[in-house]
């Protein structure tokens, strides 16, 4: 088990990307990433949220760990923000390594607490500001419980007979070529559209790399060693 403190997340995940790249270059096998980032434990809660739980077998481990500490596991209340691929765990995800991010949930233990309001105020006033310091409210017992949940997940994953794996039919997978990984973008977009209430989703089979007469392609230019590849223009049109 490695504890890694990475830097320059806001500059493009530079620290985590460097770590994963170096580990794989040295043929070190990384089987999972449990990221701790902005848990927002302002007040005691009844639930935790595990971003990415539905994408791999780490979700089952997380649910058991949360329950063992007396909490419930809630689904992400804002999936449209795609937070699962917006922090350092993405450096692992895009290289085929299952990941998970735990944070405080949405159900306060006190009926007098407005968690949504606390979150909105924090994001509007203190997020990425010098005022984000230890004078802000932190419920340390909840933070300690969250740390114990993370510990349970790490130990369960490390001591299991097999490594964590992506869910069947999910969007992330290693490619046959060593050091390369796949992401099913069209499948992901289709699922997000259906979740938003779009009843019919049709995916074009067009290949922008192969169809040279219709599309510019950065991938094609790289394969050919070309200096530039032109620019395309796309539009999204909605008809009533």
């Amino acid at each position: 088990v490695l504890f890694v403190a990475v830097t320059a997340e806001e500059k493009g995940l530079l620290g985590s990307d460097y770590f994963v790249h170096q580990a794989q270059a040295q043929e070190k096998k990384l089987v999972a990433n449990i990221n701790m980032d902005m848990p927002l434990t302002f007040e005691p809660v009844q639930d935790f949220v595990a971003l990415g739980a539905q994408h791999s077998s780490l979700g089952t481990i997380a649910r058991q760990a949360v329950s063992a500490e007396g909490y419930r596991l809630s689904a992400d209340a804002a999936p449209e923000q795609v937070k699962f691929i917006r922090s350092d765990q993405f450096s692992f995800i895009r290289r085929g390594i299952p990941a998970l991010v735990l944070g405080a949930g949405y159900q306060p233990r006190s009926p007098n607490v407005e968690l949504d309001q606390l979150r909105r105020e924090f994001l509007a006033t203190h997020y990425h500001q010098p005022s984000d310091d230890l004078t802000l409210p932190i419920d340390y017992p909840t933070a300690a419980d969250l740390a114990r949940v993370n510990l349970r997940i790490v130990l369960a994953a490390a001591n299991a007979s097999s490594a964590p794996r992506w869910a069947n039919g999910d969007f992330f997978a290693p490619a046959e070529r060593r050091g390369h990984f796949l992401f099913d973008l069209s499948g992901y977009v289709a699922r997000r559209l259906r979740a938003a209430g779009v009843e019919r989703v049709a995916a074009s089979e067009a290949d922008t790399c192969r169809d040279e007469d219709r599309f510019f392609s950065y991938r094609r230019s790289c394969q050919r060693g070309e200096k530039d590849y032109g620019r395309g223009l796309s539009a999204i049109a909605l008809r009533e």
Side-chain angles (χ1 to χ4, degrees), residues 52-58 98 164-173 191:
Q54 73 274 30
H55 291 302
S56 76
S57 59
L58 289 173
R165 63 189 183 280
W166 293 110
N168 290 334
D170 205 72
F171 311 113
F172 308 99
R191 180 185 288 187

Side-chain angles (χ1 to χ4, degrees), residues 25-45:
Q26 298 172 26
E27 298 186 350
K28 306 291 186 181
K29 185 177 182 181
L30 303 175
V31 299
N33 167 242
I34 310 301
N35 190 21
M36 292 176 279
D37 184 11
M38 284 183 60
L40 302 183
T41 54
F42 300 125
E43 294 281 347
V45 294

Side-chain angles (χ1 to χ4, degrees), residues 48 61-73 102 149:
F48 290 131
I61 297 175
R63 191 172 299 280
Q64 295 170 346
V66 166
S67 177
E69 291 295 331
Y71 289 81
R72 294 191 292 269
L73 190 65
L102 263 79
V149 170

Side-chain angles (χ1 to χ4, degrees), residues 20 24 30-33 89 92-99 166 181:
V20 180
Q24 294 189 329
L30 303 175
V31 299
N33 167 242
Q89 67 273 4
F92 297 79
I93 293 167
R94 63 186 176 187
R95 289 179 171 84
I97 302 166
W166 293 110
F181 301 89

Side-chain angles (χ1 to χ4, degrees), residues 2-130:
L2 297 175
F3 291 85
V4 182
V6 296
T7 58
E9 185 254 7
E10 294 295 338
K11 296 295 185 181
L13 314 180
L14 299 183
S16 56
D17 183 74
Y18 177 84
F19 168 75
V20 180
H21 176 77
Q22 290 298 313
Q24 294 189 329
Q26 298 172 26
E27 298 186 350
K28 306 291 186 181
K29 185 177 182 181
L30 303 175
V31 299
N33 167 242
I34 310 301
N35 190 21
M36 292 176 279
D37 184 11
M38 284 183 60
L40 302 183
T41 54
F42 300 125
E43 294 281 347
V45 294
Q46 302 180 54
D47 61 327
F48 290 131
V49 175
L51 300 178
Q54 73 274 30
H55 291 302
S56 76
S57 59
L58 289 173
T60 300
I61 297 175
R63 191 172 299 280
Q64 295 170 346
V66 166
S67 177
E69 291 295 331
Y71 289 81
R72 294 191 292 269
L73 190 65
S74 294
D76 181 13
E80 71 280 358
Q81 297 181 17
V82 203
K83 290 179 285 187
F84 182 48
I85 56 174
R86 287 176 51 190
S87 187
D88 285 303
Q89 67 273 4
F90 187 55
S91 294
F92 297 79
I93 293 167
R94 63 186 176 187
R95 289 179 171 84
I97 302 166
L100 204 66
V101 190
L102 263 79
Y106 312 106
Q107 303 166 19
R109 293 190 181 273
S110 170
N112 299 320
V113 171
E114 292 289 343
L115 277 180
D116 286 344
Q117 181 178 343
L118 287 174
R119 284 195 176 92
R120 287 195 299 268
E121 290 177 353
F122 170 79
L123 294 173
T125 309
H126 304 294
Y127 181 52
H128 288 173
Q129 299 297 325

